[in-house]
Amino acid sequence: MNMHIDVHRAAALLLALLLLIPSCAAMAEKILFEDENGQVILDDDGGMVFIPVATATPEDESRFVLNEDDVAALVFITPAPTQAPEQTPSPGEITGLIAKYDLLTPIPGTPEPMAAPEKTLQYGDSGDHVYAAQAMLTDLGYYHGKISGNYLEGTQSAVRRFQKHNSMRETGKLDAATWLVLFSTAAVARDGTTPYATPSPVPVITPTPEPTPFVYARKAEYGDSGEIVAALQTRLAELGFYEAKVSGGFYKVTRNAVRAFQAHNGLSVDGVAGRDTQELLFSPSARSADEAPLPSPTPKPAQYKLMVDVANQITRAYTYDENGEYTILVREMICSTGTRKNPTPLGTTIMPSKRARWGYFPTWDSHAQYLTRIDSANAFHSVLYSAADETTLSVKSYEDLGSPASHGCVRLYVQDAKWIYDNCKAGTIITVYEGEYDPEYTMTLRRPLNSYTLREGSLPSATPVPEYSRENWPSKYRTLYRGRSGEDVYMLQVRLAELGYYNGTITGGYYGGTIKAVEAFQRDHGLTVDGAAGQQTQSLLFSSAVDPSPAPAAEAAQEPQAETSAAPQPTAEPTPTPLPTRQPTPAAPIADSVG
């Protein structure tokens, strides 16, 4: 009677029978062993093959037809491959193997293999030689078990597969020939490669050290010195633009090298190593002197335009709008321009490149900081010092700011002079002109001086704009004169503007424009003309007696009369024209400490 056994039952049966090996030793044995592909050969003649469950297909089921006697006699035992007679390779065969497999070439990057074992290793052996063989078979992809030093089924199958892939007799034993090939550079791995083959000689190339990432610190220009300049010189020399000694001093040769690099690399040529120049110089994109130069860039307009108002002693910096017009106000700076004897020339000039951190005027034996040229004779610079030392500030030159006091130059606060020095490059347009007189506004730009440190303070903070109305007119009076400031001065300026006497900026500071307006009011109303607003002047100024006369009302429409000869009417006296009314433009008053 035949019985059909499916794949899963066959696998379970085989596993159960493993446990019965001792009790079945007397039975007729059917040999069951695994070949190199993981298949199980049933019967010693290899006639039946068991396909593992994981890879079985329905077509395979028909191959498992066993009778009861076969099942009872089935025993799973360690395969005993056909015993091949022991053969010791002859000296000639070993010499041939050495030549064929380059056995004397050591495996690169691996330790020297131990000497071949004295006897052939096979199933059941153990020791260091087995351990070494398992490790090498693992590296080559033939062995996936535990590296234990014990020569069992897994090691035997791995050796057999290694022999097959290396065209050797498949014995599953590690004889001398197999050992020599296994530890040679010609050993073929399971994937068909020879991982330990000696590679073709590759020339040793010393790697180029990675450059230190560039970090911009500050610009370098003529007269500077230090590590930044030395680094510039070194890099310029590498690119072929600098041939002198690396000295760390930025002078004529270095400046010419910077200019040559800028021209060759399509930068604006000014001989100053600013951010753009340094970032390109230290980048891989920098073109050397031997490479083709880049075309010169389209010139960009200067970032700022400087307007110097000699009437009000104010220097203003403008930048350009989307249309390229210099309409955007960036900075306002109180200044001192030339006197009548030594005026600052009116007109437009183009800023040259010459500038200096400290300047000396030998004619007057004085110094100044941050000189930036206007023309060949005049410059923007700070207030004066008796020496090139910030502790020697001339307080008089500081207090003169806001009025003509120089010999033609434009004096500024230190921080304003530095701003021009740092931001306005060669090519900046400079226009010196005479604006509409507005001294009160000029005084809003004054900064207090710290008499202890001789440093300028900040601009005074704006105070709230007072509410102007007749009910809010001052009820208490103090005499107002040049330099005074506060809410009462603000109200005075608003009232003078309302009556048409004052047309300057309403700031709350009492200076030249307010003085002239008060003098005109006093003159028109029979008061003592002194430009100071005492109680008498203020009482009249804020009274309704000086209010502008209202416009004459329109004549009522007359009923048409019958045409009669009417007596001629006398011509009416002309109504006097009222004083012009001007709506003031309020501005925040200056604090009392200013002036």
Side-chain angles (χ1 to χ4, degrees):
M1 176 180 178
N2 292 337
M3 58 185 301
H4 294 270
I5 303 175
D6 61 20
V7 176
H8 294 279
R9 291 182 60 195
L13 179 59
L14 292 177
L15 180 62
L17 290 176
L18 282 173
L19 303 176
L20 300 176
I21 292 176
S23 61
C24 299
M27 296 182 181
E29 296 181 346
K30 296 293 183 180
I31 300 174
L32 186 69
F33 66 91
E34 180 183 7
D35 73 357
E36 65 176 344
N37 296 316
Q39 295 178 331
V40 177
I41 306 299
L42 183 62
D43 210 347
D44 54 0
D45 62 0
M48 283 193 176
V49 178
F50 170 70
I51 307 298
V53 175
T55 60
T57 63
E59 292 76 14
D60 294 324
E61 294 184 5
S62 61
R63 305 180 66 178
F64 298 95
V65 181
L66 304 177
N67 57 40
E68 293 178 348
D69 294 335
D70 289 333
V71 174
L74 192 62
V75 179
F76 186 83
I77 63 173
T78 302
T82 303
Q83 295 292 330
E86 293 289 342
Q87 294 183 2
T88 302
S90 65
E93 288 176 324
I94 293 178
T95 302
L97 287 170
I98 291 172
K100 179 180 178 179
Y101 292 105
D102 191 21
L103 301 181
L104 297 181
T105 304
I107 298 173
T110 62
E112 292 291 335
M114 64 173 60
E118 295 179 356
K119 70 181 184 74
T120 298
L121 299 176
Q122 57 186 338
Y123 184 88
D125 287 336
S126 62
D128 292 342
H129 284 86
V130 177
Y131 190 96
Q134 288 173 330
M136 183 58 73
L137 288 166
T138 299
D139 288 346
L140 295 173
Y142 293 103
Y143 182 70
H144 304 289
K146 179 180 178 181
I147 300 175
S148 63
N150 298 318
Y151 203 119
L152 300 175
E153 291 91 345
T155 306
Q156 183 175 259
S157 296
V159 171
R160 188 185 301 116
R161 285 190 287 272
F162 172 79
Q163 290 169 333
K164 179 179 180 180
H165 279 73
N166 284 268
S167 303
M168 304 182 74
R169 191 157 50 91
E170 301 173 39
T171 66
K173 298 179 181 180
L174 267 173
D175 53 24
T178 302
W179 183 275
L180 288 173
V181 175
L182 179 62
F183 286 94
S184 74
T185 60
V188 178
R190 185 70 182 269
D191 61 5
T193 63
T194 52
Y196 297 114
T198 303
S200 301
V202 178
V204 178
I205 301 175
T206 303
T208 303
E210 289 292 329
T212 302
F214 171 73
V215 178
Y216 177 78
R218 62 175 179 82
K219 71 177 180 179
E221 57 188 337
Y222 189 89
D224 289 344
S225 61
E227 294 181 0
I228 292 178
V229 178
L232 288 172
Q233 293 170 332
T234 301
R235 180 60 174 158
L236 288 166
E238 291 174 358
L239 297 174
F241 296 100
Y242 183 76
E243 298 179 355
K245 177 183 177 182
V246 177
S247 62
F250 198 120
Y251 298 105
K252 184 176 180 180
V253 176
T254 304
R255 182 173 61 186
N256 290 339
V258 171
R259 286 173 174 169
F261 170 79
Q262 290 171 331
H264 198 77
N265 283 267
L267 297 173
S268 298
V269 179
D270 59 4
V272 176
R275 181 183 290 275
D276 291 344
T277 298
Q278 290 187 41
E279 287 181 348
L280 180 57
L281 177 65
F282 290 101
S283 75
S285 303
R287 295 206 173 193
S288 67
D290 297 332
E291 296 179 273
L294 290 173
S296 299
T298 302
K300 292 183 179 180
Q303 186 172 4
Y304 301 105
K305 178 179 181 179
L306 297 174
M307 303 286 290
V308 182
D309 180 359
V310 297
N312 293 292
Q313 300 295 291
I314 297 175
T315 297
R316 295 181 173 92
Y318 294 87
T319 192
Y320 48 82
D321 56 24
E322 65 275 6
N323 299 318
E325 301 292 332
Y326 290 96
T327 60
I328 302 173
L329 180 64
V330 176
R331 195 178 184 95
E332 287 185 303
M333 300 163 275
I334 193 170
C335 62
S336 285
T337 61
T339 61
R340 288 187 178 182
K341 183 179 180 181
N342 299 290
T344 302
L346 302 181
T348 298
T349 59
I350 303 298
M351 181 181 286
S353 60
K354 191 171 183 180
R355 58 193 61 209
R357 174 66 179 79
W358 278 95
Y360 175 61
F361 309 106
T363 305
W364 301 280
D365 190 27
S366 59
H367 299 72
Q369 298 191 68
Y370 301 109
L371 274 78
T372 308
R373 285 287 186 181
I374 297 174
D375 52 34
S376 60
N378 301 293
F380 295 104
H381 60 74
S382 74
V383 290
L384 302 179
Y385 296 81
S386 59
D389 181 345
E390 292 188 350
T391 64
T392 63
L393 175 79
S394 168
V395 176
K396 183 179 185 306
S397 71
Y398 189 98
E399 293 176 345
D400 283 343
L401 289 174
S403 60
S406 76
H407 299 90
C409 290
V410 178
R411 298 178 189 170
L412 302 151
Y413 287 127
V414 174
Q415 55 188 288
D416 290 336
K418 185 178 186 300
W419 187 90
I420 292 177
Y421 181 90
D422 289 339
N423 295 282
C424 298
K425 311 300 181 184
T428 298
I429 301 171
I430 305 167
T431 297
V432 182
Y433 71 104
E434 188 169 356
E436 184 177 353
Y437 187 61
D438 189 4
E440 276 71 19
Y441 187 76
T442 301
M443 291 299 108
T444 64
L445 302 176
R446 288 189 63 89
R447 299 172 184 268
L449 177 66
N450 186 318
S451 58
Y452 180 75
T453 63
L454 296 182
R455 299 287 194 278
E456 62 239 27
S458 301
L459 285 171
S461 58
T463 56
V465 177
E467 182 181 353
Y468 174 77
S469 66
R470 183 178 294 274
E471 294 76 14
N472 199 32
W473 285 348
S475 57
K476 295 182 180 180
Y477 299 95
R478 63 171 177 159
T479 300
L480 304 178
Y481 47 83
R482 179 184 291 274
R484 287 275 175 131
S485 62
E487 183 174 323
D488 49 0
V489 178
Y490 183 90
M491 294 292 191
L492 180 82
Q493 290 172 331
V494 172
R495 179 62 170 165
L496 288 168
E498 185 178 72
L499 296 176
Y501 289 100
Y502 180 72
N503 59 3
T505 303
I506 298 173
T507 64
Y510 200 114
Y511 297 101
T514 306
I515 293 172
K516 289 188 175 182
V518 169
E519 288 176 343
F521 175 80
Q522 291 170 333
R523 189 179 299 109
D524 287 348
H525 294 84
L527 301 174
T528 301
V529 179
D530 58 5
Q535 184 169 356
Q536 185 180 15
T537 298
Q538 293 185 51
S539 296
L540 181 59
L541 179 68
F542 288 108
S543 70
S544 58
V546 295
D547 283 346
S549 300
E555 293 292 336
Q558 300 291 328
E559 291 293 332
Q561 301 290 331
E563 291 187 5
T564 57
S565 298
Q569 298 293 326
T571 304
E573 292 292 329
T575 303
T577 302
L579 293 174
T581 300
R582 179 177 182 273
Q583 189 69 27
T585 303
I590 304 175
D592 287 340
S593 61
V594 177

